Amino acid sequence: MNKKGILLLQTTTPEQIKRLQTIAPDYEIVDGFTKEIPDFPLDNIEILYGWNGKIGNTILHSPSSKLKWVQIHTAGVDFVDQSLMKAKHIILTNSSGLHGKVISESVFGMLLSYTRGIIGAIKDQPLKKWGDRENIMELQNSTMMIVGAGRIGIEVAKLAKAFGMKTVGVNRTGKAVEHMDVIIKQSDFINHVEEADVVVNILPLTTLTTYFFDRTIFSRMKKTAIFINVGRGKSVNTVDLVEALEKGQLAFAALDVFEAEPLPADNPLWEREDILITPHISGLLPKFNSRLFTIFEENLRAYVEGKELPRNLIDFERSY
């Protein structure tokens, strides 16, 4: 069998499959989502929709593989072998842009749960305790520093402006970004972090951002500062974060992502009252599958026509 294949490793409806067949009639549409072993030679797969580590890596590492494009189902792409993809001239696209609004809602859910004393009230309710809240804060006129001023960062900043906050974006270039009052370069972040009342980490994981938030950064923060991580777990040195909290170098942290997931039950983070843990849910959205398919469908039309893919093309030099 020499026919080229599109391997589906993502939930796909019968109607969506018909649309793929119409767009790419020369390709076999292969079910790899419900079948552990697809009924198609893996070396003939040219396109992957979604990702499964076992199947994906088998295809990617095969010397005779015909793989040319992978449409990943996540915004982060640090878990795939980008160096090998680059060497084999394989195109990689992600789901960036789908999660901005829901992640921004999660950021403010985390933030308000602390600043308005909601976490304490939830804990007091089963005890029928009318507890006083001493740490009530007002967001208006406070400063939010958004580290990773991309699409998600823009949505976070947009909400922050609605709360009357000053927004400071952090990116690699220092180039102006919508809804950001000020932009600073990532390389200069350490010299400005003390200005922030709230620091939101939305960095992708690259060699430059691995453990970007460390002892040095945390030691420069305001003692009243709040740190929120909805980026990548390994962009934060958790040991340094806990140490900073214990020393009173910042007040509170809300973490949605971790170095190891699920977070092990014996991890000391679970025991801390100055940390809010959410189980990597900030990017969840009800219509994710249909929205992801829209990206894939648009890219597939361009692909079969020999055009450059218009949506979410990953730059392997930057890893995003």
Side-chain angles (χ1 to χ4, degrees), residues 116-133:
R116 303 311 302 165
I118 296 169
I119 292 176
I122 290 172
K123 291 179 179 178
D124 287 345
Q125 185 171 332
L127 304 175
K128 300 178 182 179
K129 178 183 177 182
W130 191 269
D132 293 329
R133 303 269 82 86

Side-chain angles (χ1 to χ4, degrees), residues 8 10-23 29 49 288-294 296-297 300:
L8 307 179
Q10 182 66 31
T11 301
T12 315
T13 68
E15 173 58 31
Q16 289 171 340
I17 291 174
K18 288 180 181 179
R19 284 155 63 178
L20 295 180
Q21 290 170 331
T22 300
I23 296 168
I29 309 299
Y49 176 47
F288 174 76
N289 289 325
S290 62
R291 295 181 185 183
L292 177 65
F293 184 81
T294 299
F296 180 57
E297 184 178 27
L300 183 61

Side-chain angles (χ1 to χ4, degrees), residues 94-203:
N94 69 357
S95 66
S96 180
L98 297 185
H99 308 85
K101 291 187 184 299
V102 292
I103 290 179
S104 65
E105 290 176 7
S106 290
V107 165
F108 275 85
M110 295 173 178
L111 183 56
L112 292 168
S113 70
Y114 175 74
T115 61
R116 303 311 302 165
I118 296 169
I119 292 176
I122 290 172
K123 291 179 179 178
D124 287 345
Q125 185 171 332
L127 304 175
K128 300 178 182 179
K129 178 183 177 182
W130 191 269
D132 293 329
R133 303 269 82 86
E134 296 180 357
N135 64 336
I136 295 296
M137 297 170 59
E138 184 178 12
L139 293 184
Q140 185 167 308
N141 298 321
S142 63
T143 297
M144 175 178 280
M145 197 164 285
I146 301 166
V147 189
R151 296 181 186 179
I152 297 171
I154 288 172
E155 293 295 337
V156 173
K158 188 176 179 181
L159 269 186
K161 297 304 295 180
F163 278 91
M165 302 178 78
K166 176 182 178 181
T167 53
V168 179
V170 180
N171 61 20
R172 293 172 62 254
T173 64
K175 184 179 179 180
V177 177
E178 188 180 7
H179 301 298
M180 307 287 182
D181 296 318
V182 178
I183 284 288
I184 60 175
K185 286 186 177 181
Q186 188 172 306
S187 58
D188 200 31
F189 169 67
I190 193 169
N191 298 317
H192 294 272
V193 66
E194 63 188 18
E195 303 165 14
D197 298 295
V198 182
V199 176
V200 182
N201 173 33
I202 321 178
L203 288 173

Side-chain angles (χ1 to χ4, degrees), residues 38 155 166 210 219 228 242 261 274:
E155 293 295 337
K166 176 182 178 181
T210 299
S219 69
I228 299 175
V242 170
E261 295 183 6
D274 51 9

Side-chain angles (χ1 to χ4, degrees), residues 37 52 56 87 97-98 129 141 224 229 250-251 258 261-262 283 290 298 310:
I37 302 176
N52 170 307
L98 297 185
K129 178 183 177 182
N141 298 321
T224 56
N229 187 15
L250 68 157
F258 303 88
E261 295 183 6
S290 62
E298 185 176 343

Side-chain angles (χ1 to χ4, degrees), residues 289-317:
N289 289 325
S290 62
R291 295 181 185 183
L292 177 65
F293 184 81
T294 299
I295 293 176
F296 180 57
E297 184 178 27
E298 185 176 343
N299 278 338
L300 183 61
R301 289 183 187 280
Y303 182 88
V304 297
E305 293 173 7
K307 299 177 181 178
E308 181 175 328
L309 274 57
R311 300 282 299 273
N312 300 353
L313 192 63
I314 296 297
D315 181 341
F316 289 123
E317 298 302 323

